[in-house]
């Protein structure tokens, strides 16, 4: 995920091609010091490598210094988000939707395509056939609030009844390894990860259930940047030769 994200960002700045899709345009007050952040999926060094080109480009198009602030963990990230500490955030759509509803953020761009997740089990695990069968077993997943895990909770529909989540580190590769090594009975994987697996590995699995596609990762800006959000959106789109969304 991080590698692909880094490639998307670098491509958006240095090469023509599809990267961000225009989502919104409008106006308000510019804040002097602008903070960009993203989820703590990597360490600070990797975060700077991944997001540095995008931060530099945002500084250029906004005309103010934008800095990348690496959160020390999920607790720090979500607390800072709730407190309106970040001016520009690039993360999954459930976070973006929360900011739009609660702290008046506005979406300006998103990666193309959509996000989806599958819950898989080993092919010989015949007792898992529907989403409700997961309630009686252990499921390997990334720690909540990862969107895949949140999506699993949503698929089950009732917050009272939840599966036993075995939290795994190491991305979806780590989740798959944990399933393969018998740490759990089922696993939540990104659909693109599953469909691009080695055919010999995929042959040993079967899909128990799959989510509907949702919008891809999104950049939102705080009210402090409302006066600049049209410029941000247009420049992110134009530098990539992208398609604008319908008005």
């Amino acid at each position: 995920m991080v590698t692909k994200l880094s490639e998307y960002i670098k491509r958006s700045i240095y090469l023509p091609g599809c990267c961000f899709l225009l989502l919104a345009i409008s106006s308000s007050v510019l804040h002097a010091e602008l903070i960009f952040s993203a989820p703590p999926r990597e360490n600070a060094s990797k975060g700077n490598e991944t997001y540095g080109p995008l931060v530099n480009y945002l500084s250029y198009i906004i005309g103010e210094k934008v800095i990348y602030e690496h959160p020390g963990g999920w607790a720090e990230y979500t607390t800072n988000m709730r407190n309106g500490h970040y001016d520009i955030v690039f993360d999954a759509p459930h976070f973006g939707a929360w900011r739009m509803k609660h702290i008046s953020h506005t979406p300006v761009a998103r990666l193309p395509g959509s996000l989806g997740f599958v819950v898989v089990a080993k092919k010989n695990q015949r007792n898992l056939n529907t989403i409700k069968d997961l309630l009686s077993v252990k499921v390997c997943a990334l720690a909540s609030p990862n969107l895949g895990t949140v999506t699993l909770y949503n698929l089950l529909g009732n917050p009272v009844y939840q599966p036993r989540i075995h939290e795994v580190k190491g991305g979806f590769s780590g989740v798959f390894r944990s399933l393969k090594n018998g740490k759990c009975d089922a696993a939540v994987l990104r659909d693109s990860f599953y469909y691009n697996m080695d055919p010999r590995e995929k042959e040993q699995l079967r899909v128990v259930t799959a989510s509907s596609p949702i919008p891809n990762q999104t950049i939102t800006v705080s009210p402090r940047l409302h006066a600049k959000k049209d410029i941000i959106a247009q420049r992110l789109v134009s530098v990539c030769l992208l398609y604008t969304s319908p008005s």
Side-chain angles (χ1 to χ4, degrees):
M1 176 76 79
V2 171
T3 301
K4 289 185 179 179
L5 192 55
S6 178
E7 290 172 356
Y8 271 131
I9 293 169
K10 290 175 182 175
R11 199 178 302 138
S12 76
I13 295 158
Y14 301 118
L15 299 173
C18 291
C19 181
F20 292 115
L21 305 178
L22 180 62
L23 293 182
I25 293 180
S26 192
S27 73
S28 191
V29 182
L30 184 63
H31 188 241
E33 187 179 68
L34 303 173
I35 300 174
F36 172 97
S37 196
R41 286 182 285 247
E42 61 280 293
N43 60 34
S45 176
K46 185 65 176 178
N48 277 294
E49 178 187 340
T50 299
Y51 301 110
L54 177 58
V55 167
N56 291 337
Y57 184 66
L58 287 168
S59 296
Y60 169 73
I61 64 178
I62 295 171
E64 297 283 345
K65 179 67 174 177
V66 179
I67 61 170
Y68 166 62
E69 184 174 296
H70 181 78
W74 282 105
E76 179 182 330
Y77 182 67
T78 55
T79 297
N80 285 344
M81 185 192 307
R82 288 195 300 269
N83 292 338
H85 178 68
Y86 302 132
D87 297 290
I88 309 169
V89 190
F90 183 19
D91 58 10
H94 60 316
F95 287 125
W98 186 93
R99 291 191 298 275
M100 291 165 61
K101 180 177 180 179
H102 296 284
I103 56 175
S104 301
H105 266 232
T106 301
V108 292
R110 67 173 172 85
L111 293 178
S114 59
L115 293 172
F117 300 91
V118 294
V119 180
V120 300
K122 292 180 179 178
K123 187 170 269 187
N124 60 5
Q125 189 97 21
R126 290 298 173 185
N127 62 318
L128 299 180
N129 299 296
T130 70
I131 186 70
K132 291 186 177 180
D133 293 333
L134 299 174
L135 295 174
S136 60
V137 300
K138 187 183 294 184
V139 180
C140 284
L142 299 176
S144 181
N146 176 267
L147 183 56
T149 309
V150 172
T151 298
L152 172 60
Y153 293 147
N154 187 60
L155 286 170
L156 286 162
N158 188 337
V160 176
Y161 302 106
Q162 301 295 344
R164 290 175 291 141
I165 298 295
H166 175 69
E167 294 184 358
V168 178
K169 295 182 179 180
F172 292 111
S173 294
V175 173
F176 170 65
R177 281 195 302 272
S178 293
L179 174 65
K180 187 177 178 180
N181 293 334
K183 302 291 186 182
C184 49
D185 304 290
V188 182
L189 301 175
R190 175 81 186 273
D191 56 359
S192 58
F193 177 90
Y194 170 74
Y195 291 117
N196 287 293
M197 287 176 65
D198 183 312
R200 292 168 297 181
E201 299 278 20
K202 191 165 65 171
E203 176 65 23
Q204 304 304 312
L205 303 175
R206 59 189 181 83
V207 175
V208 178
T209 190
S211 71
S212 299
I214 58 176
N216 212 330
Q217 297 188 84
T218 302
I219 294 180
T220 70
V221 298
S222 74
R224 292 189 288 269
L225 274 169
H226 279 186
K228 292 282 185 174
K229 64 184 181 181
D230 55 341
I231 296 296
I232 297 169
Q234 290 169 356
R235 292 295 182 86
L236 284 173
V237 169
S238 64
V239 79
C240 300
L241 305 178
L242 295 181
Y243 307 103
T244 57
S245 63
S247 57

